[in-house]
Amino acid sequence: FLSRHRKRYTRFGVYRLVERCAARVPTLAARSITPHVIRHTSACHLLRAGVDLNTISAWLGHVSLETTNIYAEIDLEIKAKAMALCDAAASGPDRPWKENKGVMAFLNAI
């Protein structure tokens, strides 16, 4: 990317450009928006759109898939979908924890 002076942007120049543009948006003005925040947000949106972690990992340039797994772990919507797939509502003799109200309250609060 070239600046208005036809010189390549440095990483500091990109940082300042993102800060300046975010400050112009009223809903973002009070927040600290950096290139890393944009990168992180893009990865979360890709994950929510159904793009698999291997593709996101390659796109972000992560060496290890473990680094990319952080995005899957922090997304509460994905956690809720995974919990919905579990049939925890059915009672049975193999679910002694079902009778423990403390455990059930904790699981429902997740």
Side-chain angles (χ1 to χ4, degrees), residues 87-102:
D87 186 18
S91 61
D94 58 342
R95 297 177 188 250
W97 53 267
K98 182 85 169 136
E99 302 303 320
N100 187 332
K101 301 297 180 194

Side-chain angles (χ1 to χ4, degrees), residues 40 44 47 53 62 64-75 79:
H40 175 76
C44 288
L47 186 62
L53 284 174
H62 290 164
S64 169
L65 191 59
E66 292 300 317
T67 307
T68 314
N69 277 337
I70 293 169
Y71 296 105
E73 291 173 5
I74 63 167
D75 193 322
K79 282 184 180 181

Side-chain angles (χ1 to χ4, degrees), residues 12-51:
F12 303 108
V14 171
Y15 188 93
R16 281 193 304 271
L17 179 67
V18 168
E19 264 188 337
R20 197 170 48 239
C21 290
R24 293 180 190 165
V25 179
T27 56
L28 300 178
R31 299 182 64 188
S32 176
I33 305 298
T34 64
H36 186 76
V37 169
I38 294 171
R39 173 183 164 93
H40 175 76
T41 303
S42 298
C44 288
H45 283 293
L46 287 170
L47 186 62
R48 281 189 177 177
V51 177

Side-chain angles (χ1 to χ4, degrees), residues 1-11 13-14 17-18:
F1 295 102
L2 299 177
S3 71
R4 65 180 175 198
H5 302 291
R6 297 292 212 204
K7 293 186 180 179
R8 291 187 311 178
Y9 272 107
T10 64
R11 63 187 176 117
V14 171
L17 179 67
V18 168

